[in-house]
């Protein structure tokens, strides 16, 4: 079993839809990160979470430490949201990072 | 422009060779992180430096080494290159040792080993 799993692997949505991407992990963590990788390869750090919920524009990230689960929500999705979304966790000692396999999102106009 | 500068953008080299990748962090950031992204293994964390000192180590091979200089730029040295080292190498920076405020990523160096 991989330490960090994401679902779904691929997601196609229509513009305007509400999107949820899930991340579950099996190790103790000090923080969880959500990253966005654009089709050209560039990576943007979206959120760093250690508890609760964060919001930035149309993006919302939540984490449930007890259930070892995080979700990334995109409201009113837009074609420019098309990217690979990657969940990453940093271990309890603040040492290693482990990355999920990514969720490829395509938002159609 | 994210503020994190990586050079070169592309590098093609032969097996057995040694290369150096360079990263200049965003102004004011003291931490530099190196990551490798290959098609078969996804993103992997290699190493973190904070204010010149090694702070955390991930899945970095012994053939690879890094350092952070007094001006805070960092270099990743890859030696005895193998075909499997072909990948995108990303650098990221953050303000502190623990990335409480998130990271800023560079645009990456694409290394091709032939």
């Amino acid at each position: 079993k991989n330490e960090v799993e994401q679902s779904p692997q691929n997601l196609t949505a229509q513009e305007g839809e509400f999107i949820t991407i899930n991340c579950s992990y099996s190790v103790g963590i000090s923080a969880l990160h959500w990253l966005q990788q654009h089709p050209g390869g560039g990576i943007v750090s979206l959120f760093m979470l250690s508890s609760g919920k964060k919001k930035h524009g149309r993006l919302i990230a939540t984490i449930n430490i007890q259930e070892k689960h995080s979700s990334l929500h995109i409201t009113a999705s837009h074609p420019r949201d098309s990217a690979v979304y990657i969940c990453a966790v940093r271990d309890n000692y603040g040492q290693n990072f482990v990355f999920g396999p990514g969720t490829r999102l395509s938002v159609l106009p | 422009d994210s503020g994190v500068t990586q050079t070169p953008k592309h590098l093609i080299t032969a097996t057995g060779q040694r290369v150096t990748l360079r990263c200049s962090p965003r102004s004011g950031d003291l931490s530099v992180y190196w990551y490798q992204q290959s098609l078969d293994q996804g993103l992997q964390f290699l190493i973190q430096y904070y204010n010149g000192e090694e702070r955390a180590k991930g899945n970095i091979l012994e053939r690879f080494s890094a350092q952070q200089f007094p001006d805070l730029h960092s270099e990743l040295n890859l030696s005895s290159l193998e075909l499997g080292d072909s990948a995108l190498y990303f650098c990221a920076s953050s303000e502190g040792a623990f990335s409480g405020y998130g990271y800023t990523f560079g645009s990456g160096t694409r290394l091709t080993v032939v």
Side-chain angles (χ1 to χ4, degrees), chain B residues 5-66:
Chain B
T5 304
Q6 286 189 249
T7 56
K9 290 198 181 318
H10 301 276
L11 197 48
I12 301 174
T13 191
T15 53
Q17 295 297 305
R18 172 190 168 94
V19 297
T20 298
L21 312 184
R22 182 187 168 106
C23 171
S24 294
R26 195 180 60 159
S27 178
D29 286 354
L30 298 179
S31 271
V32 171
Y33 308 77
W34 286 99
Y35 303 91
Q36 179 194 59
Q37 186 175 37
S38 60
L39 280 175
D40 57 342
Q41 300 228 6
L43 264 168
Q44 291 196 88
F45 167 64
L46 297 178
I47 198 163
Q48 176 195 357
Y49 277 83
Y50 173 73
N51 204 21
E53 301 286 329
E54 183 182 304
R55 169 72 176 77
K57 208 169 198 176
N59 303 318
I60 188 166
L61 299 173
E62 285 191 12
R63 300 184 286 108
F64 296 0
S65 64

Side-chain angles (χ1 to χ4, degrees), chain A residues 33 37 43 45 90 95 97, chain B residues 37 48 55-56 90 103 105:
Chain A
H33 299 262
Q37 187 165 28
I43 298 177
S45 174
R90 194 158 199 190
Q95 289 290 313
F97 291 83
Chain B
Q37 186 175 37
Q48 176 195 357
R55 169 72 176 77
F90 286 100
Y103 311 89
F105 280 80

Side-chain angles (χ1 to χ4, degrees), chain A residues 81-93:
Chain A
D81 297 326
S82 298
V84 176
Y85 292 83
I86 301 167
C87 169
V89 300
R90 194 158 199 190
D91 67 25
N92 259 334
Y93 306 99

Side-chain angles (χ1 to χ4, degrees), chain B residues 52-102:
Chain B
E53 301 286 329
E54 183 182 304
R55 169 72 176 77
K57 208 169 198 176
N59 303 318
I60 188 166
L61 299 173
E62 285 191 12
R63 300 184 286 108
F64 296 0
S65 64
Q67 54 184 324
Q68 186 179 28
F69 294 88
D71 67 352
L72 300 176
H73 92 271
S74 178
E75 293 181 356
L76 179 67
N77 300 296
L78 315 176
S79 61
S80 303
L81 284 167
E82 302 174 359
L83 295 177
D85 298 327
S86 296
L88 259 174
Y89 290 84
F90 286 100
C91 159
S93 70
S94 69
E95 186 176 335
F98 182 71
S99 54
Y101 300 101

Side-chain angles (χ1 to χ4, degrees), chain A residues 13-16 39 58 76-83 105-109:
Chain A
Q14 289 296 133
E15 184 173 355
R58 295 180 295 106
S77 59
H78 190 276
R80 65 174 174 268
D81 297 326
S82 298
L105 171 66
S106 296
V107 182
L108 304 177

Side-chain angles (χ1 to χ4, degrees), chain A residues 49-69:
Chain A
L49 296 160
S50 52
S51 65
K53 176 178 174 177
K54 286 190 177 178
K55 185 176 190 292
H56 186 252
R58 295 180 295 106
L59 301 179
I60 303 166
T62 64
I63 188 169
N64 185 317
I65 298 294
Q66 286 73 32
E67 294 187 4
K68 296 188 174 178
H69 181 269

